Amino acid sequence: MSLAVIPLAITMNAGPQIMSALIFVTANKPLKLSAYFLGGVVIAVTVGVTVTYTLANLLGNSVSLGDSSDSGSLGNIIQYLLVGLLIFLSIKSYVGRETSEPPRWLGAMQNAKPKTAFMAGLLLLSVFPSDLVILVTVGVNLAQHNASLLAAVPFMAATVFIAALPVLSYLLFRHRAKRAMPKVRDWMNTNSWLVNIIVYVIFIVLILA
């Protein structure tokens, strides 16, 4: 697919998604919770891309999405609207930076059950606003380029791999990882507004590139 896979996959995981993965690694039964979390991630990304791709194709069959090189095509207009939304969200994050706090439910993840970990992976990488925007963009891009669903496999694989980095680090560097990850998690909590803006800017560049 024509979209940059790695930046998109990073964007899918930046924010509460990777923070959840970090929390599960520092919680009790880290491997079990991480496995359930990644199971939710796999389903979310696979179903999400499949649904948006199918809807984009159905839309393309009834209303032409146009050529990707035509700035006035419906497919590009949809992506420009997404850019406008992301610019608005970036401004909102910056304006509210002084009072910005991570979602309260993140604190409860430390004592999460396997079912909660699974639902976190499932929901955070499907219906979470920034990830939903990415999934829609991927689906529209595939349909506009007349690509098959298989073209999204690198994106899906990269997204799952990045979500798995905390638990992979835990497995490879057990004690060092356990010491470092709470510091990373705390930094992201404190600077959540900055993380959001970085994610939005990366995605805007990807859409316009």
Side-chain angles (χ1 to χ4, degrees):
M1 54 187 289
S2 62
L3 292 173
V5 170
I6 299 302
L8 272 178
I10 292 173
T11 307
M12 281 287 288
N13 284 283
Q17 298 85 349
I18 198 67
M19 281 193 280
S20 294
L22 289 168
I23 289 172
F24 293 139
V25 169
T26 58
N28 294 324
K29 299 182 179 178
L31 296 181
K32 184 175 184 179
L33 290 176
S34 295
Y36 274 86
F37 175 74
L38 290 175
V41 171
V42 171
I43 294 174
V45 176
T46 303
V47 173
V49 171
T50 302
V51 170
T52 57
Y53 171 77
T54 302
L55 291 176
N57 272 307
L58 290 174
L59 176 63
N61 290 333
S62 56
V63 180
S64 176
L65 293 174
D67 191 274
S68 59
S69 61
D70 179 8
S71 59
S73 66
L74 178 59
N76 283 331
I77 289 174
I78 291 174
Q79 295 189 58
Y80 295 151
L81 290 174
L82 293 176
V83 168
L85 174 62
L86 291 168
I87 291 174
F88 168 76
L89 292 174
S90 298
I91 295 172
K92 183 179 178 182
S93 292
Y94 180 76
V95 171
R97 66 190 183 282
E98 298 296 337
T99 57
S100 177
E101 293 182 356
R104 292 182 179 179
W105 51 263
L106 270 177
M109 289 296 178
Q110 191 70 38
N111 300 310
K113 303 295 184 183
K115 181 179 178 181
T116 305
F118 174 79
M119 293 304 297
L122 184 66
L123 297 178
L124 286 176
L125 281 96
S126 58
V127 299
F128 197 77
S130 60
D131 287 348
L132 183 58
V133 168
I134 295 174
L135 292 173
V136 170
T137 302
V138 170
V140 170
N141 186 271
L142 289 172
Q144 197 171 27
H145 287 83
N146 295 314
S148 71
L149 191 57
L150 290 176
V153 170
F155 161 73
M156 292 188 285
T159 300
V160 174
F161 174 74
I162 292 172
L165 283 178
V167 70
L168 291 176
S169 299
Y170 174 81
L171 290 171
L172 293 173
F173 313 104
R174 185 73 58 102
H175 298 298
R176 292 181 181 177
K178 289 197 75 170
R179 288 196 301 268
M181 286 182 187
K183 296 178 181 178
V184 175
R185 181 195 63 208
D186 292 342
W187 183 90
M188 294 186 72
N189 278 336
T190 304
N191 299 278
S192 58
W193 66 272
L194 179 59
V195 173
N196 288 336
I197 291 177
I198 292 173
V199 169
Y200 298 147
V201 171
I202 290 174
F203 195 35
I204 288 170
V205 172
L206 289 173
I207 293 177
L208 297 178

